[in-house]
Amino acid sequence: MKRVRFLADRGDGNCSKRRQVKRACDSCRNGKRKCCHLTNGTTAQGDGETPLTAITSLENGPGNIQPQEAASPYGSTPSPPASSSPYAAPFAGPSSIHSLLVYAAPTGLEMDIARGLPISRLRRPSFQDIKAPPSERRPGVAPGYLPMVVRAILPYLEIECLQVLPAREDLDALITIFKQEVHPILPLVDFAPRVFADVIDRENPATIVLRQAICLAACKNVSARRYLNLPKSEDGALSRHTPREFADRLFGVLKIALDIGLVDDKLELIQVLALMTFHSYGPDGDDEVARLCGQAVHYAYSIGLHYPSQAKYQISEARRVELLCSLFVLDKIIATVTGRPTNLRGSEIYLPAQDEDIFEALSPGLRLAFRLSQMLDRVLDLYRPQRRSETVREECLWEASWLEFDDLAREYEIEAMHPSLQACLELLYHTIGVLSYRTTPILAIQNDDSEDLSPPVTQISKLKQSYCAQRIFCLLGLEISMFPFVPYASSLSLTVALRNLQHATLVSSKMMAKDEVERQLRVLEGLAEIYSHAESAGVVGRKILQTQQPVTTIIPFASLPSCAVQCGPLYDANGACVPPAAPQTNENTYDNCFCAYDTLQPFKQGTSGVCDNACAGDNAGISSIQSWFTSFCNEAAAATTASTSATSSGTSSSDSGSNGNGGGDWLSTHWKWVIMIVIIVVGIAGIWVGACIWRRKYLKKKDRMYELGKGLPSNVAINTQGNLVGPGARDSSYSNNQGMFMSGSGSGSGSAGYNEKPKKERKKWTVTQRT
């Protein structure tokens, strides 16, 4: 779009009026000089100093003026030190994944580089995104969106925002997915009001903006992949997007729509803001998500949702409780994921007792989610600001009155819910279980030389944390509804696996822990196309894994049945045949040692005697392991035989070569060189002789053609007598004699007459002379 420039705009985005230049003094006017004097005729900086220029170029604008500081009577004031780096990392709370990964990282590993952002992006308010260069601009902020012309381009922005909507079929499918996957747990949206009863109308932008927010929350689910089609900004044609691309574009459109005020009803604003927290677009996305959640809570406070419903608010008490409970659950989840303080506190809002009819009328998923959020709020006390001496201490918080998830599921009757919703609620429960035990940083463990005085409850909490991490890994392999805490839960499971790898001492334990970390990283990589947090956590986890000491694993557990992980003799053989138990050597040696291990020898005869307890009742699994062992050992034996034969043949050939070098004369060992030199000499001589003969024939042919008049220069011609005339023509008087083409007398004193040329005597030919 062509840029519109107003008279008061100098192109820098500042809308201030142009400065009025003061009238020059009389002396400067007479001398036609730039005036640098004050109104009293003195210079700006006194005698003997360089005058201060009073007129500033309007091209720079008042925002770019750098005035010289006046001298202070107390001496020069030092300026604040500049930042050593133009990039900084956003704030990460103690419960955030970044902080937990830093705790699991070894000492000295720099972890903030991957989250580095320009300082201006951290300090700038959201409406100033438009001034950022393209590399720092947030998603959805188009270039040329200047604050000065907001009202001038408001209609264009409204059109741009309202036209980004899926087709009718895709829109209906996404709304249906939202009702099935999100609404039963977090009923943030009220589908009863006119905003959904009315058709999509540009005269009522809320009907479009709220549907865009629903699509943003529903696009993360697997069942929504084929409906993620949005019109292109160039020609309006629909194009398929990945979940992250789809969410990024809708998030940017919604952000601009809220900034320009397309939604003015506060209840609708609360719903849109709450749904926008389902998407975080990058390293600084936590700041934006926390801001949006806080803004939704602020609007809830501003319309009095924390008090019992009154008639003037035009909202029923049941809907108020439903919306406030949903905001309470979402606030605790966002506070945990982003590491920020909570905004809704139970002591500051009014909710009916859980045994009252209004609360009992809520959906089972919302009631259980509210109960879990209360547990999460209690667990977050471990991660709230504390004294430094308390942050490096192991703590656990799991109240005895908290039931297991199966008991909670029966109490709140969620058996009738979809399995994906049940898995999502169980995932939240085990996320709380992992967070309930706060471990110490690796640095604190390395510096702590005292004895372990932790009570038994701490040991139980460690076991519970490991169990919950395993359950999280299993649940992520199932079909699950996508909520903002899903990538967070996967990252928590990764932190537990990394800590187990850090604390492992036995080789078998290290191999098992490393295999667990690899599986957790693969899960995060699968979520990377949906969540940017999963991608960043996977990169950091991979970086931590690369810092660990390498452990050689012979057994491919990923391609073997699951019961192979429980087979102890496989780990024993692997640990005994690789470093540090065995000396450093090649892979063939490791493989042969593994195949010759005593405990694994029964595999060469059959399937029994090795992993009977691990694969009890799984005959197919134990047969698969035995088949792999047999084929692996056959390949290792063949590789060893081939290596031995190659070494033997190389040794024999080297011995025969050394024996042959001792006998025979010089010509018998260098006859090939002699033949090559002879061929080169004969070839060069033949080429030289042939070139000389060709040159001799060429010169003779040239003279003959010249006498016949062929190939003459342009300034030479033949007259009627057949003579050559013109500058540089040779004497051709003999052309009139007998034997030529022109007839002549054949006698006379003036004519030379035709005589046969005497036969030339054969003379010795000299190459350097012309013949």
Side-chain angles (χ1 to χ4, degrees):
M1 184 174 65
K2 185 176 180 181
R3 181 179 176 184
V4 181
R5 180 170 178 176
F6 291 83
L7 294 177
D9 181 24
R10 290 179 294 276
D12 57 352
N14 295 315
C15 308
S16 58
K17 299 173 65 176
R18 291 181 292 181
R19 297 182 59 186
Q20 183 178 2
V21 182
K22 295 182 179 180
R23 182 178 182 274
C25 62
D26 294 336
S27 59
C28 293
R29 285 174 60 112
N30 295 334
K32 299 185 182 301
R33 298 187 300 269
K34 181 185 291 187
C35 181
C36 58
H37 299 87
L38 301 178
T39 55
N40 56 3
T42 61
T43 58
Q45 294 185 356
D47 298 335
E49 296 184 0
T50 304
L52 177 67
T53 302
I55 303 176
T56 306
S57 174
L58 291 179
E59 296 179 354
N60 297 330
N64 295 331
I65 300 174
Q66 302 293 336
Q68 183 173 350
E69 297 181 358
S72 173
Y74 303 102
S76 60
T77 303
S79 59
S83 177
S84 59
S85 174
Y87 293 90
F91 170 76
S95 67
S96 65
I97 282 299
H98 184 77
S99 298
L100 296 176
L101 286 174
V102 169
Y103 279 6
T107 308
L109 184 61
E110 183 66 29
M111 306 302 300
D112 287 335
I113 300 301
R115 306 173 71 246
L117 290 170
I119 298 178
S120 60
R121 182 164 175 175
L122 299 177
R123 298 176 179 174
R124 190 173 57 251
S126 61
F127 73 92
Q128 292 184 359
D129 291 333
I130 49 182
K131 290 186 178 181
S135 61
E136 301 180 16
R137 190 175 294 121
R138 301 173 192 260
V141 179
Y145 178 71
L146 300 177
M148 184 197 66
V149 293
V150 165
R151 281 177 288 184
I153 65 173
L154 203 82
Y156 303 101
L157 288 176
E158 182 178 0
I159 294 173
E160 182 67 24
C161 292
L162 298 183
Q163 71 180 1
V164 182
L165 195 68
R168 186 57 183 266
E169 296 79 8
D170 297 338
L171 178 61
D172 293 341
L174 290 173
I175 293 177
T176 303
I177 292 173
F178 177 83
K179 291 180 179 180
Q180 296 174 352
E181 302 289 345
V182 180
H183 193 71
I185 295 179
L186 289 181
L188 294 166
V189 180
D190 186 8
F191 291 94
R194 61 179 180 85
V195 68
F196 284 100
D198 298 343
V199 296
I200 299 176
D201 186 11
R202 292 184 182 271
E203 298 298 329
N204 185 13
T207 60
I208 300 178
V209 174
L210 197 53
R211 285 174 171 84
Q212 290 173 338
I214 291 174
C215 293
L216 175 66
C219 70
K220 309 286 186 179
N221 292 278
V222 178
S223 58
R225 295 292 179 88
R226 56 185 224 172
Y227 305 112
L228 305 183
N229 304 311
L230 287 176
K232 295 181 180 179
S233 57
E234 296 84 6
D235 53 2
L238 293 176
S239 61
R240 182 69 57 87
H241 294 74
T242 63
R244 282 179 61 178
E245 294 173 349
F246 185 88
D248 280 341
R249 190 173 180 193
L250 280 182
F251 185 87
V253 168
L254 289 169
K255 187 173 182 298
I256 297 178
L258 296 183
D259 288 342
I260 64 179
L262 292 183
V263 181
D264 51 2
D265 185 80
K266 289 188 177 180
L267 273 176
E268 295 171 354
L269 272 175
I270 292 173
Q271 300 174 48
V272 173
L273 291 168
L275 292 176
M276 289 178 66
T277 60
F278 277 62
H279 177 64
S280 180
Y281 53 79
D284 58 337
D286 287 348
D287 287 336
E288 191 68 19
V289 168
R291 184 187 71 83
L292 293 172
C293 184
Q295 200 170 358
V297 174
H298 164 72
Y299 284 123
Y301 282 143
S302 64
I303 63 175
L305 286 183
H306 53 300
Y307 284 102
S309 180
Q310 301 179 14
K312 64 179 182 179
Y313 294 134
Q314 298 181 353
I315 181 174
S316 64
E317 178 66 12
R319 175 57 187 162
R320 183 195 72 86
V321 174
E322 184 182 56
L323 181 58
L324 195 59
C325 289
S326 301
L327 286 177
F328 186 86
V329 174
L330 188 63
D331 177 63
K332 299 303 176 285
I333 292 175
I334 297 303
T336 305
V337 172
T338 62
R340 268 56 170 187
T342 58
N343 298 290
L344 272 176
R345 297 173 180 82
S347 59
E348 298 178 356
I349 60 176
Y350 171 75
L351 288 173
Q354 297 190 13
D355 55 353
E356 295 186 14
D357 295 338
I358 295 180
F359 197 87
E360 290 289 340
L362 299 177
S363 63
L366 177 58
R367 289 190 290 117
L368 179 54
F370 183 78
R371 174 70 178 275
L372 295 177
S373 64
Q374 290 178 323
M375 297 169 56
L376 181 59
D377 189 28
R378 182 73 178 90
V379 168
L380 286 178
D381 290 340
L382 294 175
Y383 300 91
R384 291 190 169 101
Q386 301 174 358
R387 292 191 299 270
R388 185 169 183 82
S389 59
E390 297 178 354
T391 58
V392 295
R393 186 179 59 189
E394 288 183 332
E395 293 183 89
C396 59
L397 199 160
W398 189 267
E399 297 183 1
S401 60
W402 291 352
L403 303 176
E404 295 296 327
F405 181 77
D406 292 340
D407 299 331
L408 290 174
R410 285 190 294 269
E411 179 181 348
Y412 288 94
E413 302 176 352
I414 65 169
E415 294 88 351
M417 296 179 64
H418 194 272
S420 62
L421 298 173
Q422 297 177 7
C424 181
L425 291 171
E426 186 177 359
L427 185 71
L428 179 59
Y429 176 85
H430 292 298
T431 301
I432 300 171
V434 174
L435 289 173
S436 64
Y437 171 65
R438 182 174 183 176
T439 57
T440 57
I442 295 297
L443 179 61
I445 295 177
Q446 292 176 350
N447 295 336
D448 189 8
D449 297 332
S450 60
E451 296 181 357
D452 186 10
L453 302 178
S454 56
V457 66
T458 305
Q459 302 297 332
I460 296 175
S461 298
K462 289 181 180 180
L463 296 176
K464 184 175 184 60
Q465 186 186 54
S466 300
Y467 168 75
C468 291
Q470 290 291 335
R471 292 294 296 172
I472 289 174
F473 174 76
C474 295
L475 289 171
L476 290 176
L478 305 176
E479 182 182 357
I480 188 170
S481 299
M482 292 299 176
F483 279 78
F485 61 86
V486 171
Y488 179 80
S490 179
S491 303
L492 276 181
S493 182
L494 174 63
T495 60
V496 176
L498 287 172
R499 295 190 69 87
N500 293 336
L501 180 59
Q502 287 279 351
H503 296 166
T505 55
L506 300 177
V507 175
S508 58
S509 301
K510 286 185 177 181
M511 288 191 298
M512 295 176 64
K514 184 179 179 181
D515 186 65
E516 177 68 20
V517 172
E518 289 288 350
R519 292 200 299 267
Q520 299 287 353
L521 288 174
R522 285 195 294 270
V523 172
L524 278 174
E525 291 169 358
L527 294 173
E529 62 176 353
I530 305 176
Y531 298 98
S532 60
H533 277 45
E535 181 181 8
S536 59
V539 171
V540 176
R542 185 72 64 181
K543 184 177 181 181
I544 296 176
L545 182 61
Q546 291 174 355
T547 61
Q548 305 298 320
Q549 294 182 355
V551 178
T552 304
T553 304
I554 300 175
I555 311 157
F557 288 104
S559 59
L560 293 178
S562 58
C563 64
V565 181
Q566 309 299 329
C567 184
L570 293 177
Y571 289 101
D572 296 337
N574 194 113
C577 295
V578 299
Q584 191 79 21
T585 180
N586 55 15
E587 294 184 2
N588 288 337
T589 305
Y590 300 152
D591 297 345
N592 292 328
C593 174
F594 179 82
C595 294
Y597 197 73
D598 296 337
T599 312
L600 302 181
Q601 296 310 306
F603 266 157
K604 295 182 178 181
Q605 306 297 330
T607 59
S608 61
V610 181
C611 299
D612 298 340
N613 296 329
C615 299
D618 188 3
N619 296 329
I622 193 66
S623 299
S624 177
I625 298 174
Q626 192 265 344
S627 299
W628 167 81
F629 178 81
T630 304
S631 60
F632 176 79
C633 293
N634 292 336
E635 293 176 0
T640 304
T641 304
S643 176
T644 305
S645 60
T647 305
S648 302
S649 61
T651 305
S652 60
S653 62
S654 61
D655 293 340
S656 61
S658 60
N659 294 334
N661 292 337
D665 55 357
W666 181 87
L667 185 60
S668 63
T669 57
H670 297 81
W671 60 272
K672 293 183 179 180
W673 290 95
V674 173
I675 293 176
M676 184 187 68
I677 294 173
V678 170
I679 292 174
I680 291 175
V681 171
V682 172
I684 293 176
I687 293 173
W688 182 259
V689 173
C692 294
I693 295 174
W694 174 84
R695 183 174 182 273
R696 181 179 179 182
K697 291 183 176 181
Y698 170 75
L699 293 176
K700 286 183 177 182
K701 183 178 180 181
K702 186 176 181 182
D703 290 341
R704 191 179 303 113
M705 292 180 65
Y706 191 84
E707 295 298 337
L708 294 176
K710 297 181 180 180
L712 297 176
S714 60
N715 55 0
V716 178
I718 303 176
N719 57 12
T720 55
Q721 287 77 24
N723 297 326
L724 300 176
V725 294
R730 297 184 183 178
D731 183 15
S732 58
S733 57
Y734 59 86
S735 61
N736 246 354
N737 297 337
Q738 298 176 354
M740 305 305 292
F741 294 104
M742 299 298 293
S743 61
S745 59
S747 62
S749 58
S751 61
Y754 179 77
N755 297 320
E756 290 290 339
K757 293 183 179 180
K759 188 176 183 180
K760 292 184 179 181
E761 296 180 0
R762 192 170 186 84
K763 297 187 297 182
K764 184 178 181 181
W765 175 54
T766 305
V767 178
T768 57
Q769 295 180 359
R770 181 173 178 179
T771 57

